[in-house]
Amino acid sequence: MTPTITGFRASPDRGRGLARDMRVRWAFEEVGQAYDVRLLSFAEMKEPAHLALQPFGQIPTYEEGDLTLFDSSAIVLHIAERHVGLLPDDANARARAITWMFAAVSTMEPTIVEREAAFFLERDEAWYEQRLTAVVGRIRNRLDQLSRHLGDAEWLDGGFSAGDLLMVSVLLRLGSSGILADYPNLAAYVARGEARPAYARAFAAQLAVFNASGAA
Ligand code: GTB
């Protein structure tokens, strides 16, 4: 059965691949699993039918038969566990790859999202610049640590895994900030992720949705 996910009918990122359906699309492409997408407006995301699938009224969701999931990292883990290609066979290496999945969304992503939230919600406040400086300091602290760990390696722990898929997805959210340019090994790491054919297919698919939305 072909799984169905949900995504924005007209993504606020204007097709830059930053909404969280992108990481799920990328995972599907990496393992060669076909998928369908149900597109939703913001209003539809808050309706009972969608809230029954995603209690927070967000995208993405995942439906396959009688299984419904939400939260992009849980969906990526589900895909990675059921297909070959995103998690190593060796039990310890697999556990480490899953550790990197959690680290991406629980250690790296919160500060990065905090910067976006400050920009969108607080940029007119008198204290915005002070707050931004503090948030960017926290982001840089995490990037320093991640950059030291990665060193000259291609991926976080051996071959490409779902941990890298989520970490690259998270770091891409820094795109327009210019911050990543100060970390050449992380910038190259992100570029390696973007260069993967599966990433390119997923990116093109979500961009086609935005271009067809009439919001372009
Ligand atoms: N933890 C959840 C997950 O990983 O699935 C978080 C899901 C989530 O934040 N979804 C967002 C959403 O549905 C879309 S991706 N928001 C609507 C709402 O909460 O009402 C976040 C996102 C949105 C926009 C941009 N952008 O414009 O660049 C980037 C990322």
PDB file of all heavy atoms in Angstrom, residues 8 11-14 16-21 23-24 42 45-46 50 54 56-61 70-75 105 109 116 120 173, ligand 1:
ATOM      1  N   PHE A   8       1.962  21.293   2.860  1.00  0.00           N
ATOM      2  CA  PHE A   8       1.308  22.581   2.589  1.00  0.00           C
ATOM      3  C   PHE A   8       0.851  22.644   1.130  1.00  0.00           C
ATOM      4  O   PHE A   8       1.633  22.319   0.225  1.00  0.00           O
ATOM      5  CB  PHE A   8       2.292  23.741   2.783  1.00  0.00           C
ATOM      6  CG  PHE A   8       2.595  24.091   4.204  1.00  0.00           C
ATOM      7  CD1 PHE A   8       3.911  24.086   4.658  1.00  0.00           C
ATOM      8  CD2 PHE A   8       1.591  24.479   5.076  1.00  0.00           C
ATOM      9  CE1 PHE A   8       4.222  24.456   5.954  1.00  0.00           C
ATOM     10  CE2 PHE A   8       1.895  24.850   6.383  1.00  0.00           C
ATOM     11  CZ  PHE A   8       3.208  24.836   6.824  1.00  0.00           C
ATOM     12  N   SER A  11       3.326  26.361   0.493  1.00  0.00           N
ATOM     13  CA  SER A  11       4.240  26.453   1.636  1.00  0.00           C
ATOM     14  C   SER A  11       4.716  27.887   1.866  1.00  0.00           C
ATOM     15  O   SER A  11       5.097  28.576   0.910  1.00  0.00           O
ATOM     16  CB  SER A  11       5.448  25.544   1.404  1.00  0.00           C
ATOM     17  OG  SER A  11       6.325  25.648   2.501  1.00  0.00           O
ATOM     18  N   PRO A  12       4.721  28.327   3.148  1.00  0.00           N
ATOM     19  CA  PRO A  12       5.207  29.684   3.425  1.00  0.00           C
ATOM     20  C   PRO A  12       6.685  29.875   3.072  1.00  0.00           C
ATOM     21  O   PRO A  12       7.160  31.000   2.970  1.00  0.00           O
ATOM     22  CB  PRO A  12       4.970  29.841   4.939  1.00  0.00           C
ATOM     23  CG  PRO A  12       4.721  28.470   5.464  1.00  0.00           C
ATOM     24  CD  PRO A  12       4.231  27.624   4.323  1.00  0.00           C
ATOM     25  N   ASP A  13       7.415  28.790   2.888  1.00  0.00           N
ATOM     26  CA  ASP A  13       8.832  28.948   2.508  1.00  0.00           C
ATOM     27  C   ASP A  13       8.997  29.120   0.995  1.00  0.00           C
ATOM     28  O   ASP A  13      10.120  29.182   0.503  1.00  0.00           O
ATOM     29  CB  ASP A  13       9.669  27.764   3.013  1.00  0.00           C
ATOM     30  CG  ASP A  13       9.471  26.521   2.166  1.00  0.00           C
ATOM     31  OD1 ASP A  13       8.524  26.468   1.363  1.00  0.00           O
ATOM     32  OD2 ASP A  13      10.274  25.583   2.316  1.00  0.00           O
ATOM     33  N   ARG A  14       7.887  29.184   0.289  1.00  0.00           N
ATOM     34  CA  ARG A  14       7.877  29.417  -1.165  1.00  0.00           C
ATOM     35  C   ARG A  14       8.696  28.382  -1.934  1.00  0.00           C
ATOM     36  O   ARG A  14       9.408  28.698  -2.878  1.00  0.00           O
ATOM     37  CB  ARG A  14       8.349  30.846  -1.479  1.00  0.00           C
ATOM     38  CG  ARG A  14       7.576  31.908  -0.703  1.00  0.00           C
ATOM     39  CD  ARG A  14       7.919  33.318  -1.100  1.00  0.00           C
ATOM     40  NE  ARG A  14       7.544  33.618  -2.477  1.00  0.00           N
ATOM     41  CZ  ARG A  14       6.310  33.878  -2.883  1.00  0.00           C
ATOM     42  NH1 ARG A  14       5.325  33.883  -2.008  1.00  0.00           N
ATOM     43  NH2 ARG A  14       6.053  34.118  -4.145  1.00  0.00           N
ATOM     44  N   ARG A  16      11.242  26.484  -0.840  1.00  0.00           N
ATOM     45  CA  ARG A  16      12.683  26.351  -0.543  1.00  0.00           C
ATOM     46  C   ARG A  16      13.022  25.035   0.163  1.00  0.00           C
ATOM     47  O   ARG A  16      14.164  24.796   0.541  1.00  0.00           O
ATOM     48  CB  ARG A  16      13.160  27.547   0.299  1.00  0.00           C
ATOM     49  CG  ARG A  16      13.310  28.832  -0.529  1.00  0.00           C
ATOM     50  CD  ARG A  16      13.815  29.983   0.311  1.00  0.00           C
ATOM     51  NE  ARG A  16      12.871  30.322   1.360  1.00  0.00           N
ATOM     52  CZ  ARG A  16      13.218  30.743   2.576  1.00  0.00           C
ATOM     53  NH1 ARG A  16      14.486  30.879   2.902  1.00  0.00           N
ATOM     54  NH2 ARG A  16      12.290  31.030   3.464  1.00  0.00           N
ATOM     55  N   GLY A  17      12.009  24.216   0.393  1.00  0.00           N
ATOM     56  CA  GLY A  17      12.265  22.890   0.963  1.00  0.00           C
ATOM     57  C   GLY A  17      12.513  22.909   2.455  1.00  0.00           C
ATOM     58  O   GLY A  17      13.160  22.003   2.996  1.00  0.00           O
ATOM     59  N   LEU A  18      12.015  23.940   3.151  1.00  0.00           N
ATOM     60  CA  LEU A  18      12.283  24.055   4.591  1.00  0.00           C
ATOM     61  C   LEU A  18      11.151  23.506   5.452  1.00  0.00           C
ATOM     62  O   LEU A  18      11.331  23.303   6.651  1.00  0.00           O
ATOM     63  CB  LEU A  18      12.552  25.530   4.950  1.00  0.00           C
ATOM     64  CG  LEU A  18      13.744  26.143   4.210  1.00  0.00           C
ATOM     65  CD1 LEU A  18      13.894  27.619   4.567  1.00  0.00           C
ATOM     66  CD2 LEU A  18      15.027  25.382   4.532  1.00  0.00           C
ATOM     67  N   ALA A  19       9.982  23.292   4.867  1.00  0.00           N
ATOM     68  CA  ALA A  19       8.880  22.730   5.658  1.00  0.00           C
ATOM     69  C   ALA A  19       9.170  21.249   5.918  1.00  0.00           C
ATOM     70  O   ALA A  19       9.915  20.602   5.181  1.00  0.00           O
ATOM     71  CB  ALA A  19       7.562  22.920   4.921  1.00  0.00           C
ATOM     72  N   ARG A  20       8.565  20.726   6.969  1.00  0.00           N
ATOM     73  CA  ARG A  20       9.017  19.416   7.448  1.00  0.00           C
ATOM     74  C   ARG A  20       8.506  18.225   6.636  1.00  0.00           C
ATOM     75  O   ARG A  20       8.909  17.100   6.893  1.00  0.00           O
ATOM     76  CB  ARG A  20       8.676  19.266   8.923  1.00  0.00           C
ATOM     77  CG  ARG A  20       9.605  20.070   9.833  1.00  0.00           C
ATOM     78  CD  ARG A  20       9.299  19.715  11.265  1.00  0.00           C
ATOM     79  NE  ARG A  20      10.205  20.303  12.225  1.00  0.00           N
ATOM     80  CZ  ARG A  20      10.030  21.490  12.808  1.00  0.00           C
ATOM     81  NH1 ARG A  20       9.013  22.253  12.467  1.00  0.00           N
ATOM     82  NH2 ARG A  20      10.877  21.911  13.730  1.00  0.00           N
ATOM     83  N   ASP A  21       7.660  18.458   5.642  1.00  0.00           N
ATOM     84  CA  ASP A  21       7.361  17.328   4.749  1.00  0.00           C
ATOM     85  C   ASP A  21       8.592  16.978   3.910  1.00  0.00           C
ATOM     86  O   ASP A  21       8.735  15.846   3.452  1.00  0.00           O
ATOM     87  CB  ASP A  21       6.168  17.640   3.829  1.00  0.00           C
ATOM     88  CG  ASP A  21       6.446  18.841   2.936  1.00  0.00           C
ATOM     89  OD1 ASP A  21       6.798  19.903   3.478  1.00  0.00           O
ATOM     90  OD2 ASP A  21       6.336  18.709   1.703  1.00  0.00           O
ATOM     91  N   ARG A  23      11.738  16.513   4.697  1.00  0.00           N
ATOM     92  CA  ARG A  23      12.603  15.453   5.228  1.00  0.00           C
ATOM     93  C   ARG A  23      11.967  14.075   5.048  1.00  0.00           C
ATOM     94  O   ARG A  23      12.648  13.076   4.838  1.00  0.00           O
ATOM     95  CB  ARG A  23      13.011  15.742   6.692  1.00  0.00           C
ATOM     96  CG  ARG A  23      11.929  16.249   7.573  1.00  0.00           C
ATOM     97  CD  ARG A  23      12.431  16.766   8.934  1.00  0.00           C
ATOM     98  NE  ARG A  23      12.905  18.145   8.905  1.00  0.00           N
ATOM     99  CZ  ARG A  23      13.232  18.852   9.970  1.00  0.00           C
ATOM    100  NH1 ARG A  23      13.162  18.311  11.181  1.00  0.00           N
ATOM    101  NH2 ARG A  23      13.644  20.084   9.864  1.00  0.00           N
ATOM    102  N   VAL A  24      10.626  14.051   5.107  1.00  0.00           N
ATOM    103  CA  VAL A  24       9.916  12.773   4.897  1.00  0.00           C
ATOM    104  C   VAL A  24       9.991  12.373   3.419  1.00  0.00           C
ATOM    105  O   VAL A  24      10.251  11.212   3.081  1.00  0.00           O
ATOM    106  CB  VAL A  24       8.455  12.897   5.370  1.00  0.00           C
ATOM    107  CG1 VAL A  24       7.676  11.634   5.049  1.00  0.00           C
ATOM    108  CG2 VAL A  24       8.404  13.193   6.870  1.00  0.00           C
ATOM    109  N   PHE A  42      -3.803  26.181   5.445  1.00  0.00           N
ATOM    110  CA  PHE A  42      -3.673  26.390   6.896  1.00  0.00           C
ATOM    111  C   PHE A  42      -5.006  26.122   7.590  1.00  0.00           C
ATOM    112  O   PHE A  42      -5.048  25.517   8.657  1.00  0.00           O
ATOM    113  CB  PHE A  42      -3.200  27.819   7.194  1.00  0.00           C
ATOM    114  CG  PHE A  42      -1.699  27.920   7.283  1.00  0.00           C
ATOM    115  CD1 PHE A  42      -0.948  28.290   6.182  1.00  0.00           C
ATOM    116  CD2 PHE A  42      -1.032  27.625   8.472  1.00  0.00           C
ATOM    117  CE1 PHE A  42       0.435  28.360   6.246  1.00  0.00           C
ATOM    118  CE2 PHE A  42       0.349  27.690   8.557  1.00  0.00           C
ATOM    119  CZ  PHE A  42       1.079  28.065   7.437  1.00  0.00           C
ATOM    120  N   MET A  45      -5.707  22.490   8.021  1.00  0.00           N
ATOM    121  CA  MET A  45      -4.853  21.863   9.039  1.00  0.00           C
ATOM    122  C   MET A  45      -5.447  21.976  10.441  1.00  0.00           C
ATOM    123  O   MET A  45      -5.055  21.248  11.350  1.00  0.00           O
ATOM    124  CB  MET A  45      -3.459  22.514   9.004  1.00  0.00           C
ATOM    125  CG  MET A  45      -2.640  22.081   7.794  1.00  0.00           C
ATOM    126  SD  MET A  45      -1.298  23.223   7.385  1.00  0.00           S
ATOM    127  CE  MET A  45      -0.402  23.264   8.892  1.00  0.00           C
ATOM    128  N   LYS A  46      -6.367  22.950  10.620  1.00  0.00           N
ATOM    129  CA  LYS A  46      -6.959  23.163  11.949  1.00  0.00           C
ATOM    130  C   LYS A  46      -8.348  22.534  12.067  1.00  0.00           C
ATOM    131  O   LYS A  46      -9.024  22.675  13.084  1.00  0.00           O
ATOM    132  CB  LYS A  46      -7.058  24.667  12.258  1.00  0.00           C
ATOM    133  CG  LYS A  46      -5.767  25.438  12.033  1.00  0.00           C
ATOM    134  CD  LYS A  46      -4.592  24.887  12.826  1.00  0.00           C
ATOM    135  CE  LYS A  46      -3.278  25.553  12.397  1.00  0.00           C
ATOM    136  NZ  LYS A  46      -2.083  24.856  12.882  1.00  0.00           N
ATOM    137  N   HIS A  50      -8.187  16.803  10.224  1.00  0.00           N
ATOM    138  CA  HIS A  50      -6.720  16.763  10.304  1.00  0.00           C
ATOM    139  C   HIS A  50      -6.245  16.665  11.756  1.00  0.00           C
ATOM    140  O   HIS A  50      -5.261  15.965  12.040  1.00  0.00           O
ATOM    141  CB  HIS A  50      -6.097  17.984   9.615  1.00  0.00           C
ATOM    142  CG  HIS A  50      -4.591  17.895   9.551  1.00  0.00           C
ATOM    143  ND1 HIS A  50      -3.934  16.959   8.776  1.00  0.00           N
ATOM    144  CD2 HIS A  50      -3.618  18.586  10.205  1.00  0.00           C
ATOM    145  CE1 HIS A  50      -2.627  17.085   8.950  1.00  0.00           C
ATOM    146  NE2 HIS A  50      -2.404  18.064   9.805  1.00  0.00           N
ATOM    147  N   GLN A  54      -3.252  14.723  13.491  1.00  0.00           N
ATOM    148  CA  GLN A  54      -2.123  15.503  14.040  1.00  0.00           C
ATOM    149  C   GLN A  54      -2.697  16.459  15.084  1.00  0.00           C
ATOM    150  O   GLN A  54      -3.251  17.506  14.728  1.00  0.00           O
ATOM    151  CB  GLN A  54      -1.457  16.293  12.890  1.00  0.00           C
ATOM    152  CG  GLN A  54       0.060  16.419  12.938  1.00  0.00           C
ATOM    153  CD  GLN A  54       0.593  17.347  14.045  1.00  0.00           C
ATOM    154  OE1 GLN A  54      -0.141  17.829  14.902  1.00  0.00           O
ATOM    155  NE2 GLN A  54       1.897  17.575  14.034  1.00  0.00           N
ATOM    156  N   PHE A  56      -1.739  18.714  16.839  1.00  0.00           N
ATOM    157  CA  PHE A  56      -1.263  20.099  16.889  1.00  0.00           C
ATOM    158  C   PHE A  56      -1.612  20.874  15.617  1.00  0.00           C
ATOM    159  O   PHE A  56      -1.204  22.030  15.456  1.00  0.00           O
ATOM    160  CB  PHE A  56       0.246  20.126  17.151  1.00  0.00           C
ATOM    161  CG  PHE A  56       0.614  19.310  18.375  1.00  0.00           C
ATOM    162  CD1 PHE A  56       1.239  18.074  18.248  1.00  0.00           C
ATOM    163  CD2 PHE A  56       0.278  19.755  19.651  1.00  0.00           C
ATOM    164  CE1 PHE A  56       1.546  17.310  19.366  1.00  0.00           C
ATOM    165  CE2 PHE A  56       0.579  18.998  20.776  1.00  0.00           C
ATOM    166  CZ  PHE A  56       1.209  17.772  20.638  1.00  0.00           C
ATOM    167  N   GLY A  57      -2.321  20.219  14.708  1.00  0.00           N
ATOM    168  CA  GLY A  57      -2.764  20.901  13.503  1.00  0.00           C
ATOM    169  C   GLY A  57      -1.624  21.262  12.572  1.00  0.00           C
ATOM    170  O   GLY A  57      -1.639  22.322  11.936  1.00  0.00           O
ATOM    171  N   GLN A  58      -0.635  20.373  12.489  1.00  0.00           N
ATOM    172  CA  GLN A  58       0.545  20.670  11.667  1.00  0.00           C
ATOM    173  C   GLN A  58       0.728  19.607  10.576  1.00  0.00           C
ATOM    174  O   GLN A  58       0.132  18.528  10.644  1.00  0.00           O
ATOM    175  CB  GLN A  58       1.798  20.685  12.556  1.00  0.00           C
ATOM    176  CG  GLN A  58       1.755  21.768  13.631  1.00  0.00           C
ATOM    177  CD  GLN A  58       2.985  21.724  14.517  1.00  0.00           C
ATOM    178  OE1 GLN A  58       3.408  20.664  14.968  1.00  0.00           O
ATOM    179  NE2 GLN A  58       3.554  22.883  14.768  1.00  0.00           N
ATOM    180  N   ILE A  59       1.607  19.915   9.638  1.00  0.00           N
ATOM    181  CA  ILE A  59       2.080  18.905   8.681  1.00  0.00           C
ATOM    182  C   ILE A  59       3.510  18.582   9.057  1.00  0.00           C
ATOM    183  O   ILE A  59       4.177  19.421   9.708  1.00  0.00           O
ATOM    184  CB  ILE A  59       1.974  19.415   7.215  1.00  0.00           C
ATOM    185  CG1 ILE A  59       2.814  20.694   6.991  1.00  0.00           C
ATOM    186  CG2 ILE A  59       0.524  19.657   6.865  1.00  0.00           C
ATOM    187  CD1 ILE A  59       4.166  20.482   6.475  1.00  0.00           C
ATOM    188  N   PRO A  60       4.042  17.398   8.746  1.00  0.00           N
ATOM    189  CA  PRO A  60       3.418  16.344   7.967  1.00  0.00           C
ATOM    190  C   PRO A  60       2.737  15.286   8.843  1.00  0.00           C
ATOM    191  O   PRO A  60       3.016  15.201  10.040  1.00  0.00           O
ATOM    192  CB  PRO A  60       4.617  15.709   7.248  1.00  0.00           C
ATOM    193  CG  PRO A  60       5.729  15.816   8.256  1.00  0.00           C
ATOM    194  CD  PRO A  60       5.487  17.113   8.987  1.00  0.00           C
ATOM    195  N   THR A  61       1.863  14.500   8.207  1.00  0.00           N
ATOM    196  CA  THR A  61       1.354  13.265   8.811  1.00  0.00           C
ATOM    197  C   THR A  61       1.677  12.127   7.856  1.00  0.00           C
ATOM    198  O   THR A  61       2.098  12.371   6.710  1.00  0.00           O
ATOM    199  CB  THR A  61      -0.167  13.324   9.015  1.00  0.00           C
ATOM    200  OG1 THR A  61      -0.771  13.627   7.756  1.00  0.00           O
ATOM    201  CG2 THR A  61      -0.554  14.378  10.041  1.00  0.00           C
ATOM    202  N   PHE A  70       2.394  11.024  13.210  1.00  0.00           N
ATOM    203  CA  PHE A  70       2.738  12.422  12.994  1.00  0.00           C
ATOM    204  C   PHE A  70       4.109  12.657  13.592  1.00  0.00           C
ATOM    205  O   PHE A  70       4.666  11.787  14.257  1.00  0.00           O
ATOM    206  CB  PHE A  70       1.687  13.366  13.603  1.00  0.00           C
ATOM    207  CG  PHE A  70       1.597  13.318  15.103  1.00  0.00           C
ATOM    208  CD1 PHE A  70       2.362  14.173  15.878  1.00  0.00           C
ATOM    209  CD2 PHE A  70       0.757  12.421  15.732  1.00  0.00           C
ATOM    210  CE1 PHE A  70       2.281  14.129  17.264  1.00  0.00           C
ATOM    211  CE2 PHE A  70       0.667  12.368  17.115  1.00  0.00           C
ATOM    212  CZ  PHE A  70       1.436  13.221  17.887  1.00  0.00           C
ATOM    213  N   ASP A  71       4.641  13.804  13.342  1.00  0.00           N
ATOM    214  CA  ASP A  71       5.986  14.265  13.705  1.00  0.00           C
ATOM    215  C   ASP A  71       7.003  13.691  12.701  1.00  0.00           C
ATOM    216  O   ASP A  71       7.194  12.480  12.599  1.00  0.00           O
ATOM    217  CB  ASP A  71       6.402  13.912  15.134  1.00  0.00           C
ATOM    218  CG  ASP A  71       7.457  14.908  15.588  1.00  0.00           C
ATOM    219  OD1 ASP A  71       8.597  14.800  15.090  1.00  0.00           O
ATOM    220  OD2 ASP A  71       7.147  15.810  16.365  1.00  0.00           O
ATOM    221  N   SER A  72       7.647  14.621  11.992  1.00  0.00           N
ATOM    222  CA  SER A  72       8.495  14.220  10.874  1.00  0.00           C
ATOM    223  C   SER A  72       9.599  13.252  11.276  1.00  0.00           C
ATOM    224  O   SER A  72       9.908  12.324  10.529  1.00  0.00           O
ATOM    225  CB  SER A  72       9.095  15.462  10.202  1.00  0.00           C
ATOM    226  OG  SER A  72       9.791  16.252  11.135  1.00  0.00           O
ATOM    227  N   SER A  73      10.194  13.439  12.460  1.00  0.00           N
ATOM    228  CA  SER A  73      11.306  12.528  12.792  1.00  0.00           C
ATOM    229  C   SER A  73      10.800  11.124  13.103  1.00  0.00           C
ATOM    230  O   SER A  73      11.460  10.130  12.765  1.00  0.00           O
ATOM    231  CB  SER A  73      12.186  13.075  13.915  1.00  0.00           C
ATOM    232  OG  SER A  73      11.469  13.881  14.786  1.00  0.00           O
ATOM    233  N   ALA A  74       9.615  11.021  13.718  1.00  0.00           N
ATOM    234  CA  ALA A  74       9.038   9.691  13.963  1.00  0.00           C
ATOM    235  C   ALA A  74       8.699   9.020  12.630  1.00  0.00           C
ATOM    236  O   ALA A  74       8.884   7.803  12.472  1.00  0.00           O
ATOM    237  CB  ALA A  74       7.786   9.814  14.827  1.00  0.00           C
ATOM    238  N   ILE A  75       8.249   9.827  11.679  1.00  0.00           N
ATOM    239  CA  ILE A  75       7.903   9.263  10.368  1.00  0.00           C
ATOM    240  C   ILE A  75       9.181   8.799   9.649  1.00  0.00           C
ATOM    241  O   ILE A  75       9.220   7.706   9.075  1.00  0.00           O
ATOM    242  CB  ILE A  75       7.133  10.312   9.520  1.00  0.00           C
ATOM    243  CG1 ILE A  75       5.807  10.676  10.209  1.00  0.00           C
ATOM    244  CG2 ILE A  75       6.874   9.771   8.124  1.00  0.00           C
ATOM    245  CD1 ILE A  75       5.079  11.882   9.592  1.00  0.00           C
ATOM    246  N   VAL A 105      17.149  16.806  16.071  1.00  0.00           N
ATOM    247  CA  VAL A 105      15.898  17.526  16.348  1.00  0.00           C
ATOM    248  C   VAL A 105      15.776  18.012  17.786  1.00  0.00           C
ATOM    249  O   VAL A 105      14.979  18.915  18.061  1.00  0.00           O
ATOM    250  CB  VAL A 105      14.650  16.682  15.955  1.00  0.00           C
ATOM    251  CG1 VAL A 105      14.651  16.418  14.460  1.00  0.00           C
ATOM    252  CG2 VAL A 105      14.561  15.398  16.736  1.00  0.00           C
ATOM    253  N   GLU A 109      18.116  21.536  16.511  1.00  0.00           N
ATOM    254  CA  GLU A 109      17.027  22.291  15.877  1.00  0.00           C
ATOM    255  C   GLU A 109      16.392  23.364  16.767  1.00  0.00           C
ATOM    256  O   GLU A 109      16.047  24.440  16.265  1.00  0.00           O
ATOM    257  CB  GLU A 109      15.949  21.328  15.338  1.00  0.00           C
ATOM    258  CG  GLU A 109      14.961  22.034  14.405  1.00  0.00           C
ATOM    259  CD  GLU A 109      14.141  21.074  13.548  1.00  0.00           C
ATOM    260  OE1 GLU A 109      13.811  19.976  14.048  1.00  0.00           O
ATOM    261  OE2 GLU A 109      13.834  21.429  12.402  1.00  0.00           O
ATOM    262  N   GLU A 116      14.371  31.758  14.087  1.00  0.00           N
ATOM    263  CA  GLU A 116      13.297  32.048  13.127  1.00  0.00           C
ATOM    264  C   GLU A 116      12.094  32.649  13.853  1.00  0.00           C
ATOM    265  O   GLU A 116      11.482  33.605  13.382  1.00  0.00           O
ATOM    266  CB  GLU A 116      12.859  30.766  12.416  1.00  0.00           C
ATOM    267  CG  GLU A 116      13.902  30.226  11.459  1.00  0.00           C
ATOM    268  CD  GLU A 116      13.552  28.826  10.961  1.00  0.00           C
ATOM    269  OE1 GLU A 116      12.408  28.371  11.154  1.00  0.00           O
ATOM    270  OE2 GLU A 116      14.444  28.183  10.392  1.00  0.00           O
ATOM    271  N   PHE A 120      10.249  36.247  13.162  1.00  0.00           N
ATOM    272  CA  PHE A 120       8.857  36.384  12.734  1.00  0.00           C
ATOM    273  C   PHE A 120       7.967  37.039  13.794  1.00  0.00           C
ATOM    274  O   PHE A 120       7.053  37.781  13.466  1.00  0.00           O
ATOM    275  CB  PHE A 120       8.273  35.014  12.346  1.00  0.00           C
ATOM    276  CG  PHE A 120       8.786  34.535  11.020  1.00  0.00           C
ATOM    277  CD1 PHE A 120       9.585  33.406  10.935  1.00  0.00           C
ATOM    278  CD2 PHE A 120       8.496  35.235   9.849  1.00  0.00           C
ATOM    279  CE1 PHE A 120      10.073  32.973   9.705  1.00  0.00           C
ATOM    280  CE2 PHE A 120       8.979  34.802   8.619  1.00  0.00           C
ATOM    281  CZ  PHE A 120       9.769  33.673   8.547  1.00  0.00           C
ATOM    282  N   ARG A 173      18.032  24.965   7.547  1.00  0.00           N
ATOM    283  CA  ARG A 173      17.183  26.071   8.016  1.00  0.00           C
ATOM    284  C   ARG A 173      17.996  27.322   8.321  1.00  0.00           C
ATOM    285  O   ARG A 173      17.454  28.396   8.488  1.00  0.00           O
ATOM    286  CB  ARG A 173      16.383  25.634   9.249  1.00  0.00           C
ATOM    287  CG  ARG A 173      15.412  24.524   8.913  1.00  0.00           C
ATOM    288  CD  ARG A 173      14.543  24.166  10.073  1.00  0.00           C
ATOM    289  NE  ARG A 173      13.516  25.167  10.327  1.00  0.00           N
ATOM    290  CZ  ARG A 173      12.382  24.919  10.964  1.00  0.00           C
ATOM    291  NH1 ARG A 173      12.130  23.702  11.388  1.00  0.00           N
ATOM    292  NH2 ARG A 173      11.497  25.866  11.178  1.00  0.00           N
TER     293      ARG A 173
HETATM  294  N1  GTB B   1       7.632  18.457  15.417  1.00  0.00           N
HETATM  295  C1  GTB B   1       6.785  18.555  14.252  1.00  0.00           C
HETATM  296  C2  GTB B   1       7.372  17.688  13.132  1.00  0.00           C
HETATM  297  O1  GTB B   1       8.597  17.526  13.087  1.00  0.00           O
HETATM  298  O2  GTB B   1       6.611  17.162  12.312  1.00  0.00           O
HETATM  299  C3  GTB B   1       6.692  19.997  13.822  1.00  0.00           C
HETATM  300  C4  GTB B   1       5.810  20.150  12.601  1.00  0.00           C
HETATM  301  C5  GTB B   1       5.739  21.595  12.150  1.00  0.00           C
HETATM  302  O3  GTB B   1       6.326  22.512  12.763  1.00  0.00           O
HETATM  303  N2  GTB B   1       5.028  21.801  11.067  1.00  0.00           N
HETATM  304  C6  GTB B   1       4.837  23.137  10.557  1.00  0.00           C
HETATM  305  C7  GTB B   1       3.370  23.457  10.563  1.00  0.00           C
HETATM  306  O4  GTB B   1       2.550  22.640  10.215  1.00  0.00           O
HETATM  307  C8  GTB B   1       5.336  23.191   9.116  1.00  0.00           C
HETATM  308  S1  GTB B   1       7.081  22.889   9.018  1.00  0.00           S
HETATM  309  N3  GTB B   1       3.049  24.704  10.948  1.00  0.00           N
HETATM  310  C9  GTB B   1       1.693  25.176  10.945  1.00  0.00           C
HETATM  311  C10 GTB B   1       1.172  25.431  12.313  1.00  0.00           C
HETATM  312  O5  GTB B   1       1.830  25.078  13.317  1.00  0.00           O
HETATM  313  O6  GTB B   1       0.080  26.006  12.376  1.00  0.00           O
HETATM  314  C11 GTB B   1       7.780  24.334   9.861  1.00  0.00           C
HETATM  315  C12 GTB B   1       8.145  25.413   8.894  1.00  0.00           C
HETATM  316  C13 GTB B   1       7.202  26.322   8.461  1.00  0.00           C
HETATM  317  C14 GTB B   1       7.586  27.345   7.602  1.00  0.00           C
HETATM  318  C15 GTB B   1       8.892  27.453   7.202  1.00  0.00           C
HETATM  319  N4  GTB B   1       9.287  28.519   6.339  1.00  0.00           N
HETATM  320  O7  GTB B   1       8.445  29.309   5.893  1.00  0.00           O
HETATM  321  O8  GTB B   1      10.491  28.642   6.020  1.00  0.00           O
HETATM  322  C16 GTB B   1       9.841  26.534   7.639  1.00  0.00           C
HETATM  323  C17 GTB B   1       9.459  25.522   8.496  1.00  0.00           C
END
